[in-house]
Amino acid sequence: MKPPKIDTTEFRDHLSNVTDSGKRIWIYPRIVAGQLYKLRTYFSWLLLGLLFGIPFVEIDGGPLFMFNVLERKFIFFGVTFFPQDFHLVAFGLLTFIVFIILFTVIFGRVWCGWACPQTIFMEMLFRKIENWIEGDYRAQQRLDAQPWNTEKIVKKSAKHLIFFIISFLIANTFLAYIIGKKELFTIILDNPLNHISGLVAITIFTFVFYFVFAKFRELVCIVVCPYGRLQGVLLDKKSIIVAYDFLRGEPRGKKKKVEEQPNPLDELKALTNPNKGHCVDCGICVQVCPTGIDIRNGTQLECIGCTACIDACDEVMVKTNQPTGLIRYASLDGIEKGNKLSFNLRIGAYTAVLTALLGILAFMLITRSDVETTLLRTPGLTYQEEKNGNISNLYNIEILNKTINAMPVTIHVKDYPSAKIKLIGKPLQLNKSELTRGSFFISIPKKDLEAPSIKLKIEVISNGVIIDEVKTSFLGPME
Ligand code: SF4
Ligand code: SF4
């Protein structure tokens, strides 16, 4: 079937929430009730629980996750990563980028609509509180338009106070992800004068979150978010997006203006017209959109895939005795060819690549050594002849303990029974997640040296288990 022509000559050339003169249009989205909204609500409870709970979960006495950019120490699932794990970080980042690209090419902005913290906080927490205090979208418009009186002062103050308290909680949680819960509790419980920088950080984060959710809102997705900016190049005609079925919907039309009716949904049954498409042009899909766009104009950069317009339109379709899914998850190709969304070869191949990448990364993480040893002969020294005729070399050793457990270690020369280690100073003890330095001599009877320079393998042993092995050279006299 030849697609109907949609007139795009009048289509805007500026953001949906900005006037021709560049002034911001405040968006008052109508809250939608529908199956997807219900699912998103349940999913958001799970995500919010995880987001607020994870920084306070400990594993073997250490945090489950920590992203301490200040000390360049990162903990994932209780495993500590240091700058020495750069290769893992590089591969992890590469995997992450490829994952994002492939995922978006196939599934569009599913992340934005269902799991992005910005959407979850804005639509599932702050927006609901706003509706609870100020009323629905129409009541909010009225409240903003009316002069300041007791009602407006009370409602606005209550809303912003609650917004600020939640922003404060988010800021504390955010800081817990960076410095860990112990450090955070120390800042909260100790004398504030001892933690000025920590308190300044909490204050700044609180104001930033408050500004984002009270004022900036959808502009984060439309203007700031780099992932949002990438959509234009990542999506193609096969990507699954929230899409309006223009073949079914056009030509759109209604008999009466919805604005003239007290409750548009109650009047919709009378609006369908046999000569028109299924879209009754009620505009409810636009009213529910948190970024203020009309999905019937096609894929737009402002669309965060929140599915509110799907729920809204389905409700209209039911009321007008038409099949649901006029707006639905679909690809443009699928709509044009009338194909149903299905798990095809392309999705299978991309998913296989994603799974393989994640598998390799998981393997690298699982097989990562718990300690990393660097062993060097002391610069400027060759060998020493001892009174007993042995030859000795002096070494400096650095052992990085990547675990969250302290451990004693001993050093042993492998496959060289006559080689002896003489530690300088105290026995080596690895503190948790720290670098330990030490020095020692390796002493070998002169008669056992087969060449002026021999290769040695050094084992690092803890509690009877070899935890690392490094190679070095040992110098002796020429004759
Ligand atoms: S909600 Fe559905 S029927 Fe109403 S305007 Fe949007 S697409 Fe058309
Ligand atoms: S167009 Fe639909 S899916 Fe996209 S942001 Fe608006 S309501 Fe959400």
Side-chain angles (χ1 to χ4, degrees):
M1 193 207 307
K2 207 171 162 210
K5 239 181 149 178
I6 295 178
D7 181 15
T8 54
T9 50
E10 293 295 317
F11 192 60
R12 62 194 160 83
D13 56 0
H14 51 78
L15 294 176
S16 54
N17 60 346
V18 173
T19 63
D20 287 343
S21 58
K23 218 169 153 256
R24 180 171 177 189
I25 302 167
W26 190 259
I27 295 174
Y28 299 89
R30 172 180 178 159
I31 287 202
V32 65
Q35 279 307 313
L36 289 170
Y37 187 75
K38 220 186 262 174
L39 271 178
R40 281 174 61 221
T41 302
Y42 296 146
F43 192 55
S44 72
W45 292 347
L46 174 73
L47 292 183
L48 286 172
L50 288 174
L51 196 90
F52 282 110
I54 280 176
F56 303 98
V57 176
E58 291 202 332
I59 179 166
D60 291 337
L64 185 65
F65 285 97
M66 195 168 84
F67 309 96
N68 195 335
V69 280
L70 308 170
E71 292 175 14
R72 293 183 296 160
K73 198 162 109 183
F74 304 91
I75 299 177
F76 292 91
F77 295 103
V79 182
T80 312
F81 293 84
F82 294 87
Q84 283 83 347
D85 294 307
F86 180 76
H87 64 291
L88 279 177
V89 176
F91 188 77
L93 274 178
L94 194 71
T95 307
F96 182 65
I97 292 168
V98 175
F99 187 94
I100 284 186
I101 292 172
L102 293 189
F103 187 87
T104 310
V105 169
I106 309 168
F107 300 109
R109 295 184 80 164
V110 170
W111 160 262
C112 301
W114 287 78
C116 174
Q118 168 68 21
T119 311
I120 299 285
F121 277 123
M122 188 64 243
E123 302 308 322
M124 296 294 157
L125 194 59
F126 287 90
R127 184 91 66 203
K128 285 182 175 177
I129 291 169
E130 191 167 62
N131 266 259
W132 173 58
I133 294 174
E134 293 188 358
D136 70 3
Y137 69 114
R138 286 189 184 132
Q140 288 171 30
Q141 282 169 314
R142 277 198 302 275
L143 190 71
D144 281 354
Q146 76 188 41
W148 284 97
N149 55 16
T150 314
E151 183 204 5
K152 187 164 175 175
I153 292 170
V154 169
K155 284 186 173 173
K156 292 283 176 193
S157 309
K159 180 181 91 170
H160 287 287
L161 181 67
I162 294 175
F163 277 13
F164 198 80
I165 292 170
I166 296 174
S167 302
F168 177 72
L169 293 177
I170 299 173
N172 276 273
T173 311
F174 187 63
L175 200 62
Y177 274 102
I178 298 175
I179 59 174
K181 80 162 190 188
K182 282 184 189 146
E183 201 58 35
L184 177 71
F185 286 152
T186 311
I187 292 176
I188 294 170
L189 300 173
D190 199 11
N191 182 348
L193 294 176
N194 297 335
H195 304 282
I196 296 293
S197 54
L199 290 169
V200 168
I202 291 179
T203 310
I204 292 174
F205 288 152
T206 302
F207 275 100
V208 168
F209 287 124
Y210 169 75
F211 173 70
V212 164
F213 296 115
K215 299 283 171 205
F216 207 54
R217 300 193 161 190
E218 75 283 354
L219 288 176
V220 172
C221 312
I222 298 177
V223 180
V224 179
C225 176
Y227 182 56
R229 303 276 61 70
L230 277 174
Q231 298 303 313
V233 289
L234 294 182
L235 297 181
D236 62 20
K237 286 181 84 176
K238 290 191 169 67
S239 305
I240 299 164
I241 49 169
V242 174
Y244 165 67
D245 187 340
F246 54 91
L247 288 181
R248 243 187 79 184
E250 300 298 319
R252 67 188 76 164
K254 61 185 174 189
K255 290 170 185 165
K256 298 180 198 170
K257 281 201 167 170
V258 172
E259 298 83 34
E260 291 165 5
Q261 298 158 12
N263 184 351
L265 281 178
D266 289 343
E267 302 291 326
L268 281 170
K269 279 184 186 146
L271 296 180
T272 47
N273 180 333
N275 301 320
K276 300 273 184 189
H278 287 185
C279 173
V280 296
D281 207 12
C282 61
I284 295 175
C285 52
V286 184
Q287 289 172 10
V288 298
C289 180
T291 61
I293 61 170
D294 185 344
I295 193 65
R296 294 171 298 169
N297 290 325
T299 317
Q300 292 148 77
L301 73 88
E302 294 97 334
C303 176
I304 55 167
C306 73
T307 71
C309 53
I310 298 183
D311 277 333
C313 190
D314 278 353
E315 199 181 339
V316 176
M317 291 298 109
V318 170
K319 292 258 177 186
T320 54
N321 296 321
Q322 300 184 89
T324 55
L326 180 59
I327 301 175
R328 61 180 186 270
Y329 275 121
S331 69
L332 191 58
D333 236 17
I335 286 179
E336 282 177 354
K337 292 177 185 155
N339 296 337
K340 280 226 162 93
L341 194 59
S342 59
F343 192 84
N344 54 34
L345 187 65
R346 178 177 184 263
I347 296 178
Y350 277 38
T351 310
V353 174
L354 289 178
T355 313
L357 277 173
L358 290 178
I360 294 170
L361 185 63
F363 177 77
M364 286 172 79
L365 292 177
I366 291 165
T367 55
R368 190 191 77 133
S369 64
D370 284 345
V371 297
E372 192 164 312
T373 310
T374 311
L375 182 64
L376 293 171
R377 268 192 312 104
T378 306
L381 291 179
T382 52
Y383 63 90
Q384 297 83 43
E385 281 204 62
E386 298 175 15
K387 285 184 191 150
N388 59 6
N390 283 6
I391 303 295
S392 63
N393 283 194
L394 179 62
Y395 296 86
N396 294 326
I397 189 166
E398 286 184 355
I399 308 175
L400 177 66
N401 180 5
K402 299 177 186 174
T403 70
I404 49 172
N405 300 313
M407 53 176 122
V409 287
T410 54
I411 303 159
H412 178 253
V413 181
K414 190 179 179 185
D415 301 332
Y416 226 102
S418 61
K420 295 277 175 293
I421 300 261
K422 294 178 194 165
L423 262 179
I424 299 173
K426 290 184 288 182
L428 288 173
Q429 169 73 27
L430 306 187
N431 293 328
K432 62 175 185 177
S433 306
E434 273 187 20
L435 185 71
T436 302
R437 294 188 173 88
S439 300
F440 61 87
F441 286 102
I442 296 179
S443 172
I444 299 178
K446 197 173 177 180
K447 63 179 175 49
D448 291 346
L449 292 175
E450 295 143 7
S453 174
I454 57 172
K455 300 281 177 219
L456 294 177
K457 285 181 190 158
I458 310 297
E459 292 171 337
V460 180
I461 300 168
S462 178
N463 298 321
V465 179
I466 300 167
I467 53 174
D468 203 6
E469 187 178 298
V470 280
K471 289 180 185 159
T472 189
S473 61
F474 185 93
L475 298 182
M478 293 297 282
E479 75 272 17

